[in-house]
Amino acid sequence: MATADKRAKLRDDLIDAAETAVAVSGLSGLKARALAEAAGCAVGAIYNVFPDLDALIYEVNARTLRRLDAHLAAASDPGDDPETAMRKLALSYHRFSRAERRRWTAVFAHQIPDGAMPPDWYLGVVAQLFRHIEGPLTTLLPDASPQMRNGLARTLFSASHGIVSLGLEEKLGPAPDEVIANALVVMTRSWVLGLPGAVAPPTRP
Amino acid sequence: MATADKRAKLRDDLIDAAETAVAVSGLSGLKARALAEAAGCAVGAIYNVFPDLDALIYEVNARTLRRLDAHLAAASDPGDDPETAMRKLALSYHRFSRAERRRWTAVFAHQIPDGAMPPDWYLGVVAQLFRHIEGPLTTLLPDASPQMRNGLARTLFSASHGIVSLGLEEKLGPAPDEVIANALVVMTRSWVLGLPGAVAPPTRP
């Protein structure tokens, strides 16, 4: 293989190894020595293809987000009314988070230094997700600007994430799956009923 | 001092030392050796008063939750309408989380083994918080049962927590304080408008 091909292969092998380690034991399972062994390279070679382990973690987390994206796309049906669409998205997010628990947790548990931001390419992968919610919001709030819909999609995602994450981690006490799902159903219903009044521009007299 | 008093004092000193360590550098700053040094005891003496470091972390996190409780109580005014009350609570939660960033993060970052639950006394401290949201929900949904209101209060707390935590950690991209606050304002408004229709029992014809 040419040097560039070898380098690309090592990069992929390291992402594969890191993804497996995260799926088995979370971010705390990510050790440079074990990764190098799994990818068949020297520990130092990791740093020829990634500046640091954070860069490798972003690659693993981006894979998780791309799978989530496909999962949400499969839950959507262009014929759904806004309430059905948002309910399906929220319940689909719950199922994905539960099924890919450790990889999904790694997306949010990844700590970077105070004040540091994720790289732009990674934030681009995150930003893709909001289009699923922007769809039903366009039907629900036809007068809202694209910026307003995007901000609202981020808010609704964050709210759903709070319900799913505190629920799955049982931070507030026991939270069976049906309790989490019911909370998401009530919440999406309240948005469909309440958001048009909450964010619609005031009507002129 | 009598043995029981000495034991109680060591317990308090260890909680103080752990709280300081968490405030300075988060849960990862909690090391038995440093705690013992700060409390002036042998490392082994920690385990005479706490079964393990998890038990000590619950004490620290309970202090944070009790301060949050006082902070939310100070934000409430019995004369407020439900929208004002819920908006004040959500914005107060945002301010507290930002002001006590590391201690607040420790409440949610504390990892316990899969399937384990926090102790009952700690869940009791958590449960106290929901009464702040149950107040405005009683005005908003007079026909809802106490169980329904409690479940809804947990859902609304979780949703607000998702907005605050993903915002403060900037997990979805840059999130200035006014963006987080605006998301909370729109969200609480939509609940006041939407929840009565979303969860009220169907009216009889």
Side-chain angles (χ1 to χ4, degrees):
Chain A
M1 277 196 287
T3 307
D5 291 344
K6 273 194 205 160
R7 195 180 148 88
K9 185 178 180 308
L10 175 57
R11 204 169 174 284
D12 283 347
D13 289 350
L14 283 168
I15 301 172
D16 288 345
E19 191 176 18
T20 303
V22 167
V24 171
S25 45
L27 282 180
S28 61
L30 218 64
K31 308 284 180 205
R33 189 167 300 277
L35 289 177
E37 199 171 308
C41 70
V43 171
I46 296 175
Y47 304 101
N48 290 333
V49 284
F50 292 106
D52 49 38
L53 286 187
D54 280 336
L56 180 52
I57 293 172
Y58 280 122
E59 294 289 345
V60 171
N61 287 347
R63 281 192 184 178
T64 305
L65 291 177
R66 288 190 190 105
R67 269 198 313 283
L68 170 59
D69 192 73
H71 193 79
L72 294 176
S76 302
D77 184 329
D80 288 336
D81 61 85
E83 182 179 343
T84 305
M86 292 213 271
R87 186 178 62 240
K88 282 184 180 176
L89 287 169
L91 294 175
S92 168
Y93 185 62
H94 178 209
R95 279 192 301 274
F96 181 87
S97 307
R98 196 181 45 194
E100 300 221 6
R101 184 72 184 275
R102 289 194 191 282
R103 279 177 283 191
W104 168 78
T105 300
V107 170
F108 299 98
H110 182 201
Q111 295 293 319
I112 53 174
D114 283 356
M117 283 296 290
D120 283 346
W121 73 264
Y122 179 83
L123 288 177
V125 175
V126 172
Q128 280 294 309
L129 294 169
F130 303 118
R131 75 184 191 286
H132 299 290
I133 313 178
E134 285 167 2
L137 282 178
T138 305
T139 312
L140 190 64
L141 303 166
D143 295 333
S145 67
Q147 289 73 15
M148 187 185 272
R149 275 199 294 269
N150 183 261
L152 214 45
R154 288 169 182 267
T155 299
L156 302 190
F157 172 81
S158 300
S160 306
H161 174 76
I163 294 169
V164 168
S165 63
L166 293 186
L168 284 182
E169 295 176 12
E170 303 202 305
K171 288 287 180 195
L172 309 180
D177 273 334
E178 61 270 24
V179 168
I180 301 175
N182 185 53
L184 293 170
V185 169
V186 169
M187 187 56 56
T188 48
R189 177 116 216 260
S190 84
W191 292 337
V192 170
L193 294 171
L195 279 175
V199 302
T203 48
R204 282 153 206 255
Chain B
M1 278 195 288
T3 308
D5 291 344
K6 273 193 206 161
R7 196 182 147 87
K9 186 178 180 308
L10 175 58
R11 206 171 172 283
D12 283 346
D13 288 349
L14 283 167
I15 301 173
D16 288 344
E19 192 177 16
T20 303
V22 167
V24 171
S25 45
L27 281 180
S28 61
L30 218 64
K31 308 285 180 206
R33 188 166 300 277
L35 290 177
E37 198 170 310
C41 70
V43 172
I46 296 176
Y47 304 102
N48 289 334
V49 284
F50 291 106
D52 50 37
L53 286 188
D54 280 335
L56 180 52
I57 294 172
Y58 280 122
E59 295 288 346
V60 172
N61 287 346
R63 283 192 182 178
T64 305
L65 291 177
R66 288 191 190 104
R67 270 199 313 281
L68 170 60
D69 192 74
H71 192 81
L72 294 177
S76 301
D77 184 328
D80 288 337
D81 61 84
E83 182 179 341
T84 305
M86 293 213 271
R87 186 181 59 239
K88 282 183 180 177
L89 287 169
L91 294 176
S92 169
Y93 184 62
H94 177 210
R95 278 192 303 272
F96 180 87
S97 307
R98 197 181 43 194
E100 300 221 7
R101 183 71 185 276
R102 287 192 192 282
R103 281 178 281 192
W104 169 78
T105 300
V107 170
F108 299 97
H110 182 201
Q111 294 293 317
I112 53 175
D114 282 356
M117 283 295 289
D120 284 345
W121 73 265
Y122 179 83
L123 288 178
V125 176
V126 173
Q128 281 294 310
L129 294 169
F130 303 119
R131 76 184 191 287
H132 299 291
I133 313 178
E134 284 167 2
L137 282 178
T138 305
T139 313
L140 189 65
L141 304 167
D143 295 333
S145 67
Q147 289 73 16
M148 189 185 269
R149 276 198 295 269
N150 183 261
L152 213 46
R154 288 168 182 267
T155 299
L156 302 190
F157 172 82
S158 301
S160 306
H161 174 76
I163 293 169
V164 169
S165 63
L166 292 187
L168 284 182
E169 295 177 12
E170 302 202 303
K171 288 290 182 193
L172 309 181
D177 273 335
E178 62 271 24
V179 168
I180 301 174
N182 184 53
L184 293 169
V185 169
V186 169
M187 187 57 56
T188 48
R189 174 116 218 258
S190 85
W191 291 337
V192 169
L193 294 171
L195 279 174
V199 303
T203 48
R204 280 153 208 256

